[in-house]
Amino acid sequence: MTLISPNTVLANALTAVEDVLTPRIHSSKAQRIALVVGTQINGAPHAGTSLVQSMAFATAARLRDRHGLPVEVRFSALDNAPHDLVTDPASGTRYQRAYAQTLGTDGINVLVGTLYRPLFDALSERLGVPYDVETYSEQQETTLFRETWLRVLPRLEAARLWLAPSTGVPHLRVPCPSCGWAEKYAERTSVEPVGRGLARVSAVCLHHGPYTTTVTPTGGGFLDLATLYRNMVKELAALGERDVLQVMVKGTDWMPGSLLVDGAHQAVGLTRGQLPARLFCPMIVAETGAKLSKSLIRSGDGALPAGAEPWMLDTRKWPGTVGEFADRLLDLADLFLSHPRHFFRSYSAAELARLMSVPTGSPTA
């Protein structure tokens, strides 16, 4: 498979892609490595999502073989993505009801099992890399996550401009306990610490008016944090697993946001060596250079890029079996991981179509 990639400063500094993680692996003295990849489960995965997920499995296998450490992939299923959006006609306030509150635990498990587990099972079987799925609902319920949030809350003043540079107010949503609706932008939501390890959240429900919830390490409402805020708390909580190095696997579009999250980490007291390990994977773009976005295309604000194929917006439309799709993705992962020049760059939808068209086992692959 012919692929020509330009050199970059980072690619020139590395022999292999995974070398970018070597300093953290050595300094952490970890006994295990977990590749953590998160996805909003607001519909069928698109090409970029599946590509990043396959990269997580392929990189995990390379780290296992190189460092002799047990590895795993952790899939964070973000079921706090909006399912329904409405505007309160009286106040003009936007409200949302997330997938978690709309579908419930059983519905979320069916959705993940239908749309994501078949590919994960295929990737895991082929590479011998185990995986685990944790929904955001489950994560925010854990004592570790809540204790981390409660510990950060009194120090949030130092980090607020990193997490919300435009407003200085990093917000959270605690959905109404009666109906599950929450203010999308939390304009009328307030939070205050009320003693050691407790916080009081007050908000206004679309249907039930004002309500108050006391958050504790073991309960007290669904903590739906804004994206940068959530990532800071999640990554701080990851430090609690001292024997596991957690590597956050993301698309390259996340890189600017991660700079702000790292600023927030340092504002609340982390040193440079404690910042999370991350791996930014190749991004799929349109001919304009913009990220391939199914939401823009579906809203009419964008068109299917030249050379793109229908399966790129909904991987269920791949013209073959899940196993064949996994094989193609792993062939592509091997190609991208074969040289840092191929990994630390973006690919057009047309180029992705070309690369994925080479049959598995082809002499040109």
Side-chain angles (χ1 to χ4, degrees), residues 177-231:
S178 299
C179 64
W181 285 92
E183 292 179 307
K184 180 171 178 57
Y185 301 111
E187 300 99 323
R188 295 179 292 180
T189 299
S190 61
V191 187
E192 59 176 335
V194 287
R196 187 178 180 87
L198 298 172
R200 182 179 296 119
V201 180
S202 300
V204 181
C205 175
L206 173 66
H207 301 294
H208 300 95
Y211 61 96
T212 299
T213 301
T214 299
V215 179
T216 74
T218 57
F222 187 100
L223 281 177
D224 184 6
L225 308 180
T227 304
L228 298 182
Y229 195 0
R230 180 187 71 234
N231 274 262

Coordinates of all heavy atoms in Angstrom, one line a residue, residues 177-231:
P177 N -34.1 15.1 39.6 CA -34.3 13.7 40.1 C -35.7 13.1 39.7 O -35.9 11.9 39.7 CB -34.1 13.8 41.6 CG -34.4 15.2 41.9 CD -34.0 16.0 40.8
S178 N -36.6 14.0 39.4 CA -38.0 13.5 39.0 C -38.1 13.2 37.6 O -38.8 12.2 37.2 CB -39.0 14.6 39.4 OG -39.0 14.9 40.8
C179 N -37.5 13.9 36.7 CA -37.7 13.7 35.2 C -36.5 13.6 34.4 O -36.6 13.2 33.2 CB -38.6 14.8 34.7 SG -37.8 16.5 34.7
G180 N -35.3 14.0 34.9 CA -34.1 13.8 34.2 C -33.7 14.9 33.3 O -32.7 14.9 32.6
W181 N -34.5 16.0 33.2 CA -34.1 17.2 32.4 C -33.2 18.0 33.1 O -33.2 18.1 34.4 CB -35.4 18.0 32.0 CG -36.2 17.3 30.9 CD1 -37.3 16.5 31.1 CD2 -36.0 17.5 29.5 NE1 -37.8 16.1 29.9 CE2 -37.0 16.7 28.9 CE3 -35.2 18.2 28.7 CZ2 -37.2 16.6 27.5 CZ3 -35.3 18.1 27.3 CH2 -36.3 17.3 26.7
A182 N -32.3 18.7 32.4 CA -31.3 19.6 33.0 C -31.0 20.8 32.1 O -31.1 20.7 30.9 CB -30.0 18.8 33.3
E183 N -30.7 21.9 32.7 CA -30.3 23.1 32.0 C -29.0 22.8 31.1 O -28.0 22.4 31.7 CB -30.0 24.3 32.9 CG -31.2 24.8 33.6 CD -30.7 26.0 34.5 OE1 -29.8 25.8 35.3 OE2 -31.3 27.0 34.4
K184 N -29.1 22.9 29.8 CA -27.9 22.6 29.0 C -26.7 23.4 29.4 O -25.6 22.9 29.4 CB -28.3 22.8 27.5 CG -27.1 22.4 26.6 CD -27.5 22.4 25.1 CE -26.4 22.1 24.2 NZ -25.7 20.8 24.5
Y185 N -26.9 24.7 29.6 CA -25.7 25.5 29.9 C -25.6 26.0 31.3 O -24.8 26.8 31.7 CB -25.8 26.8 29.0 CG -25.8 26.4 27.5 CD1 -26.9 26.6 26.7 CD2 -24.6 25.9 26.9 CE1 -26.9 26.3 25.4 CE2 -24.6 25.5 25.6 CZ -25.8 25.7 24.8 OH -25.8 25.4 23.5
A186 N -26.5 25.4 32.2 CA -26.5 25.5 33.6 C -26.4 27.0 34.1 O -25.8 27.3 35.1 CB -25.2 24.8 34.2
E187 N -27.2 27.9 33.4 CA -27.2 29.3 33.7 C -27.7 29.5 35.2 O -27.3 30.4 35.9 CB -28.0 30.1 32.8 CG -27.6 30.0 31.3 CD -28.4 29.0 30.5 OE1 -28.7 28.0 31.1 OE2 -28.6 29.3 29.3
R188 N -28.7 28.7 35.6 CA -29.3 28.9 36.9 C -28.9 27.8 37.9 O -29.6 27.6 38.9 CB -30.9 29.0 36.7 CG -31.3 30.2 35.9 CD -32.8 30.2 35.8 NE -33.3 29.1 34.9 CZ -34.6 29.0 34.6 NH1 -35.5 29.8 35.1 NH2 -35.0 28.0 33.8
T189 N -27.8 27.2 37.6 CA -27.3 26.1 38.5 C -26.2 26.7 39.3 O -25.3 27.4 38.8 CB -26.8 24.9 37.7 OG1 -27.9 24.4 36.9 CG2 -26.2 23.8 38.6
S190 N -26.2 26.5 40.6 CA -25.1 26.9 41.5 C -24.6 25.8 42.3 O -25.3 24.8 42.6 CB -25.6 28.1 42.4 OG -26.7 27.6 43.2
V191 N -23.3 25.9 42.7 CA -22.7 24.8 43.5 C -21.9 25.5 44.6 O -21.2 26.5 44.4 CB -21.7 24.0 42.6 CG1 -21.1 22.8 43.4 CG2 -22.3 23.6 41.3
E192 N -22.0 24.9 45.8 CA -21.2 25.4 46.9 C -20.8 24.2 47.8 O -21.6 23.3 48.1 CB -22.0 26.4 47.7 CG -23.3 25.9 48.3 CD -24.0 26.9 49.2 OE1 -23.3 27.8 49.7 OE2 -25.2 26.9 49.3
P193 N -19.6 24.2 48.3 CA -19.2 23.2 49.3 C -19.9 23.5 50.6 O -20.1 24.6 51.0 CB -17.7 23.5 49.5 CG -17.3 24.3 48.3 CD -18.5 25.1 47.9
V194 N -20.3 22.4 51.3 CA -21.1 22.6 52.6 C -20.5 21.6 53.6 O -21.2 20.7 54.1 CB -22.6 22.3 52.4 CG1 -23.3 23.4 51.7 CG2 -22.9 21.0 51.7
G195 N -19.2 21.8 53.9 CA -18.6 21.0 54.8 C -17.6 20.0 54.2 O -17.5 19.9 52.9
R196 N -17.0 19.2 55.0 CA -16.0 18.3 54.5 C -16.6 17.2 53.6 O -17.4 16.4 54.1 CB -15.2 17.6 55.7 CG -14.0 16.8 55.3 CD -13.3 16.2 56.5 NE -12.2 15.4 56.1 CZ -11.0 15.8 55.9 NH1 -10.7 17.1 56.0 NH2 -10.0 15.0 55.6
G197 N -16.2 17.1 52.4 CA -16.7 16.0 51.5 C -18.2 16.1 51.1 O -18.8 15.1 50.7
L198 N -18.7 17.3 51.1 CA -20.1 17.5 50.7 C -20.2 18.8 49.8 O -19.5 19.7 50.0 CB -21.1 17.7 51.9 CG -21.1 16.5 52.9 CD1 -22.0 16.9 54.1 CD2 -21.8 15.3 52.2
A199 N -21.2 18.8 48.9 CA -21.5 19.9 48.1 C -23.0 20.0 47.8 O -23.6 19.0 47.7 CB -20.7 19.9 46.8
R200 N -23.5 21.2 47.8 CA -24.9 21.4 47.5 C -25.1 22.0 46.1 O -24.4 23.0 45.8 CB -25.6 22.4 48.5 CG -27.1 22.6 48.3 CD -27.7 23.5 49.4 NE -27.6 22.9 50.7 CZ -26.9 23.4 51.7 NH1 -26.2 24.5 51.6 NH2 -26.9 22.8 52.9
V201 N -25.9 21.4 45.3 CA -26.2 21.9 43.9 C -27.6 22.3 43.8 O -28.5 21.5 44.2 CB -25.9 20.8 42.9 CG1 -26.2 21.3 41.5 CG2 -24.4 20.3 43.0
S202 N -27.9 23.5 43.4 CA -29.2 24.0 43.2 C -29.4 24.4 41.7 O -28.6 24.9 41.1 CB -29.4 25.3 44.1 OG -29.2 25.0 45.4
A203 N -30.6 24.0 41.2 CA -30.9 24.2 39.8 C -32.4 24.4 39.7 O -33.2 24.4 40.6 CB -30.4 23.0 39.0
V204 N -32.9 24.7 38.4 CA -34.3 24.9 38.1 C -34.7 23.9 37.0 O -34.1 23.9 35.9 CB -34.5 26.3 37.7 CG1 -36.0 26.6 37.4 CG2 -34.0 27.3 38.7
C205 N -35.7 23.1 37.3 CA -36.2 22.1 36.3 C -37.2 22.7 35.4 O -37.9 23.6 35.7 CB -36.8 20.9 37.1 SG -37.5 19.7 36.0
L206 N -37.2 22.2 34.2 CA -38.1 22.6 33.2 C -39.6 22.4 33.6 O -40.4 23.2 33.3 CB -37.8 21.9 31.9 CG -38.8 22.0 30.7 CD1 -38.7 23.4 30.2 CD2 -38.4 21.0 29.6
H207 N -39.8 21.3 34.3 CA -41.1 20.9 34.6 C -41.5 21.0 36.1 O -42.6 21.2 36.5 CB -41.4 19.4 34.2 CG -41.2 19.2 32.8 ND1 -42.0 19.7 31.8 CD2 -40.3 18.4 32.1 CE1 -41.6 19.3 30.6 NE2 -40.6 18.5 30.8
H208 N -40.4 20.9 37.0 CA -40.7 20.9 38.4 C -40.1 22.0 39.2 O -40.2 22.0 40.5 CB -40.1 19.6 39.0 CG -40.7 18.3 38.4 ND1 -40.1 17.7 37.3 CD2 -41.9 17.7 38.6 CE1 -40.9 16.6 37.0 NE2 -41.9 16.6 37.7
G209 N -39.6 23.0 38.6 CA -39.1 24.2 39.3 C -37.8 24.0 40.0 O -37.1 23.1 39.7
P210 N -37.5 24.8 41.0 CA -36.3 24.8 41.8 C -36.1 23.4 42.5 O -37.1 22.9 43.0 CB -36.4 25.9 42.7 CG -37.3 26.9 42.1 CD -38.3 26.0 41.5
Y211 N -34.9 22.9 42.5 CA -34.6 21.7 43.3 C -33.2 21.8 43.8 O -32.3 22.5 43.2 CB -34.8 20.4 42.5 CG -34.0 20.3 41.3 CD1 -32.8 19.6 41.3 CD2 -34.4 20.8 40.1 CE1 -32.0 19.4 40.2 CE2 -33.6 20.7 38.9 CZ -32.4 20.0 39.0 OH -31.7 19.8 37.9
T212 N -32.9 21.1 44.9 CA -31.5 21.1 45.5 C -31.1 19.7 45.7 O -31.9 18.8 46.2 CB -31.5 21.9 46.8 OG1 -31.9 23.2 46.6 CG2 -30.1 21.9 47.4
T213 N -29.8 19.4 45.4 CA -29.3 18.1 45.6 C -28.0 18.2 46.4 O -27.1 19.1 46.1 CB -29.0 17.4 44.3 OG1 -30.2 17.3 43.5 CG2 -28.4 16.0 44.5
T214 N -27.8 17.3 47.4 CA -26.5 17.3 48.1 C -25.6 16.2 47.6 O -26.1 15.0 47.6 CB -26.7 17.1 49.6 OG1 -27.5 18.2 50.1 CG2 -25.4 17.1 50.4
V215 N -24.5 16.5 47.1 CA -23.6 15.5 46.5 C -22.6 15.0 47.6 O -22.0 15.8 48.2 CB -22.8 16.1 45.3 CG1 -21.8 15.1 44.7 CG2 -23.8 16.6 44.2
T216 N -22.5 13.7 47.7 CA -21.6 13.1 48.6 C -20.6 12.1 47.9 O -20.8 11.9 46.7 CB -22.4 12.3 49.7 OG1 -22.9 11.1 49.1 CG2 -23.5 13.1 50.3
P217 N -19.6 11.6 48.6 CA -18.8 10.6 47.9 C -19.5 9.4 47.4 O -19.0 8.6 46.5 CB -17.7 10.3 48.9 CG -17.7 11.5 49.8 CD -19.1 11.9 49.9
T218 N -20.7 9.1 47.9 CA -21.4 7.9 47.6 C -22.7 8.1 46.9 O -23.4 7.1 46.7 CB -21.5 7.0 48.8 OG1 -22.2 7.7 49.8 CG2 -20.2 6.5 49.3
G219 N -23.1 9.3 46.7 CA -24.5 9.5 46.1 C -24.8 11.0 45.9 O -24.0 11.9 46.1
G220 N -26.1 11.2 45.6 CA -26.5 12.6 45.6 C -26.7 13.2 44.2 O -26.4 14.4 44.0
G221 N -27.2 12.4 43.2 CA -27.5 13.0 41.9 C -26.4 12.7 40.9 O -25.3 12.3 41.2
F222 N -26.8 12.8 39.6 CA -26.0 12.5 38.5 C -25.1 13.8 38.2 O -25.6 14.8 37.9 CB -26.9 12.2 37.3 CG -26.2 11.7 36.1 CD1 -26.2 10.4 35.8 CD2 -25.6 12.6 35.2 CE1 -25.5 9.9 34.6 CE2 -25.0 12.2 34.0 CZ -24.9 10.8 33.7
L223 N -23.8 13.6 38.2 CA -22.8 14.7 38.0 C -22.4 14.8 36.5 O -21.6 14.0 36.1 CB -21.5 14.5 38.9 CG -21.6 14.9 40.3 CD1 -20.3 14.5 41.0 CD2 -21.9 16.3 40.5
D224 N -23.1 15.6 35.8 CA -22.8 15.8 34.4 C -21.9 17.0 34.2 O -22.5 18.2 34.1 CB -24.1 15.9 33.6 CG -23.9 15.9 32.1 OD1 -22.7 15.8 31.7 OD2 -24.8 16.1 31.4
L225 N -20.6 16.9 34.1 CA -19.7 18.0 34.0 C -19.5 18.4 32.5 O -19.5 17.6 31.7 CB -18.3 17.6 34.6 CG -18.4 17.1 36.0 CD1 -16.9 16.8 36.5 CD2 -19.0 18.0 37.0
A226 N -19.3 19.7 32.3 CA -18.9 20.2 31.0 C -17.6 19.5 30.5 O -16.8 19.0 31.3 CB -18.7 21.7 31.0
T227 N -17.4 19.4 29.2 CA -16.4 18.5 28.6 C -15.0 18.7 29.2 O -14.4 17.7 29.7 CB -16.4 18.7 27.1 OG1 -17.7 18.5 26.6 CG2 -15.4 17.7 26.5
L228 N -14.5 19.9 29.2 CA -13.1 20.1 29.7 C -13.1 19.8 31.2 O -12.1 19.2 31.7 CB -12.6 21.5 29.5 CG -12.5 21.9 28.0 CD1 -12.0 23.3 27.9 CD2 -11.6 21.0 27.2
Y229 N -14.1 20.2 31.9 CA -14.2 20.0 33.4 C -14.2 18.5 33.7 O -13.5 18.0 34.5 CB -15.5 20.6 33.8 CG -15.7 20.9 35.3 CD1 -14.8 20.5 36.3 CD2 -16.9 21.5 35.7 CE1 -15.0 20.7 37.6 CE2 -17.1 21.7 37.1 CZ -16.2 21.3 38.0 OH -16.4 21.5 39.4
R230 N -15.0 17.7 32.9 CA -15.1 16.3 33.1 C -13.8 15.6 32.8 O -13.4 14.7 33.6 CB -16.2 15.7 32.1 CG -16.3 14.2 32.2 CD -17.2 13.7 31.1 NE -16.6 13.7 29.8 CZ -17.1 14.3 28.7 NH1 -18.3 14.9 28.8 NH2 -16.5 14.3 27.6
N231 N -13.1 16.0 31.8 CA -11.8 15.4 31.5 C -10.8 15.7 32.6 O -10.0 14.8 32.9 CB -11.3 15.9 30.1 CG -11.8 15.0 29.0 OD1 -11.2 14.1 28.5 ND2 -13.1 15.3 28.6

